[in-house]
Amino acid sequence: MTSLKTPVAMTLSVFCILLFAALLHASWNAIVKAGNDKLYSAIGVSGSAALMALVCLPFAPQPAVASIPFLAASTVLQVVYTVLVAKTYQVSDMSQTYPLMRGSAPLLVAIISVLFLGDSLSSLAWVGIVVICIAILGMAFNGHASSRQGVVLALINACFIAGYTLVDGTGVRLSETALGYTLWTFFLNGSCLLSWAMIARRQEAARYLVQHWKKGIFGGIGTMGSYGLALWAMTQSPLAVVAALRETSILFGALIAWLLLKERVVGLRLVAAGGIAAGAMLLRLA
């Protein structure tokens, strides 16, 4: 019988791996934001990840049967999430909406994982999570919103992020193989998006994907590496801690938005960046 393991600590190695995963996550989001068509760019990233997962699946251990319902639910949530990411970046700046949609999710994950999934958090861990959430929201709401619609979409997407984090956090623990679960997650997600694009908008989608295939590959590597490492970390540490620490990607996202996308990142957002770093350190000490 498969049992659900509930980790209670975070080692230094897990901490460092999650910081690297955060960098990868910010990188693939920047690729989507920089694309001429945000939806096709997101599909290119997910589709590339699906193809890479398909190649690797025959050589990976297969997840336990108990995790299959979680894989199915995760696929639905992540397909909607990917489409919302593209839509959000169509109407607003990454430097504002990225921290908003990523920063609202960890607190939801923390509350639900403790109340319903059996995770336990120390007082210091709760302080770290709250500090990160407040800092991220401060970064997002500093100045005038570039788009009210973008803010609304970002908040909606935060709910989907919390949803698939909780689903996958439980599913990967039941699967008994973080690698196999990760590969199936990306194969199912990317296959659904690619199938829709080829059926609904074949010519436009194919033209864009062929022209920008290199960005798709780099983005695919980024998203697989980022979430794959996070899923593995969920088997080692509490979901709430992993979710909050993963959102240090906001720091990398702000840096990328400023240096590469030429967006303004000033004032309170710089202070908030320091708050995110401080929260991350509190989680490590916890």
Side-chain angles (χ1 to χ4, degrees):
M1 180 179 294
T2 303
S3 60
L4 182 59
K5 175 185 175 184
T6 303
V8 295
M10 173 173 286
T11 63
L12 178 60
S13 60
V14 175
F15 179 82
C16 294
I17 285 171
L18 278 173
L19 290 182
F20 179 62
L23 172 61
L24 292 177
H25 191 278
S27 299
W28 81 256
N29 270 257
I31 288 175
V32 172
K33 171 60 180 174
N36 296 329
D37 188 296
K38 308 300 186 285
L39 178 58
Y40 293 153
S41 183
I43 291 174
V45 168
S46 296
S48 296
L51 293 176
M52 287 184 277
L54 179 61
V55 172
C56 297
L57 271 172
F59 309 100
Q62 298 304 302
V65 175
S67 67
I68 292 178
F70 295 90
L71 276 170
S74 173
T75 298
V76 174
L77 292 170
Q78 293 212 47
V79 165
V80 176
Y81 157 74
T82 303
V83 173
L84 282 176
V85 166
K87 181 61 178 178
T88 301
Y89 290 159
Q90 282 179 348
V91 299
S92 58
D93 286 344
M94 176 180 172
S95 60
Q96 183 167 56
T97 51
Y98 181 73
L100 184 55
M101 63 183 167
R102 302 305 310 184
S104 304
L107 193 55
L108 294 174
V109 172
I111 294 171
I112 296 174
S113 65
V114 169
L115 291 179
F116 301 105
L117 301 182
D119 277 357
S120 60
L121 297 174
S122 67
S123 298
L124 191 58
W126 274 110
V127 172
I129 290 170
V130 172
V131 167
I132 287 177
C133 291
I134 292 174
I136 290 172
L137 293 176
M139 180 183 287
F141 283 115
N142 179 47
H144 297 290
S146 56
S147 165
R148 187 180 299 273
Q149 182 185 9
V151 170
V152 172
L153 287 172
L155 290 173
I156 293 173
N157 217 7
C159 296
F160 282 93
I161 292 169
Y164 75 65
T165 299
L166 290 164
V167 168
D168 283 335
T170 304
V172 73
R173 291 176 182 177
L174 290 171
S175 73
E176 301 178 353
T177 166
L179 176 59
Y181 189 93
T182 298
L183 293 175
W184 274 107
T185 295
F186 281 102
F187 173 69
L188 293 171
N189 180 27
S191 296
C192 289
L193 288 167
L194 269 180
S195 298
W196 172 83
M198 291 299 101
I199 293 172
R201 304 180 181 179
R202 180 178 304 174
Q203 292 184 345
E204 294 179 6
R207 186 183 307 114
Y208 187 92
L209 296 177
V210 168
Q211 291 176 348
H212 301 278
W213 65 271
K214 291 183 180 179
K215 292 181 180 178
I217 290 177
F218 283 118
I221 293 172
T223 188
M224 282 191 72
S226 172
Y227 200 50
L229 292 173
L231 286 174
W232 171 81
M234 289 175 191
T235 68
Q236 308 297 312
S237 302
L239 298 185
V241 175
V242 173
L245 188 56
R246 188 170 178 246
E247 305 318 342
T248 55
S249 60
I250 306 302
L251 290 170
F252 300 113
L255 187 62
I256 291 171
W258 175 49
L259 292 177
L260 301 181
L261 302 181
K262 306 304 179 183
E263 297 178 6
R264 295 187 64 194
V265 183
V266 295
L268 183 58
R269 294 186 188 180
L270 295 178
V271 177
I276 295 169
M281 292 310 300
L282 286 173
L283 288 178
R284 174 66 194 112
L285 293 173

